[in-house]
Amino acid sequence: VSIGSREATKEALSMLDVSLPVYVLEGERPKVYETKTLPTTFVLSPKGKIAFRYGGIARWDDPAVAAYLRALAAEYALTPVP
């Protein structure tokens, strides 16, 4: 979910060569997503609950982070990307 424009977010993602859905917030941000840290990453469960929250720059290529996200996906019976 981006608080910026859909076009700007899609452009940023295209520079990273990734394909993700883009959701743009309309209206007030729910309090649960308020943060003073940029960037902040939220991973939501299939039911829309926050399953993981990380504030700051993450090392997404770290094997421990990948293992954690795969375990999180397994917990929710999701098929992780290899």
Side-chain angles (χ1 to χ4, degrees), residues 20-64:
L20 299 170
V22 174
Y23 301 97
V24 176
L25 181 65
E26 293 181 5
E28 293 293 316
R29 177 179 29 222
K31 296 268 185 216
V32 70
Y33 297 112
E34 287 185 4
T35 181
K36 293 182 182 186
T37 306
L38 292 176
T40 297
T41 300
F42 296 92
V43 175
L44 304 179
S45 75
K47 293 185 178 186
K49 303 289 183 187
I50 297 173
F52 174 77
R53 175 185 173 141
Y54 186 82
I57 298 172
R59 292 193 55 211
W60 298 111
D61 59 344
D62 184 307

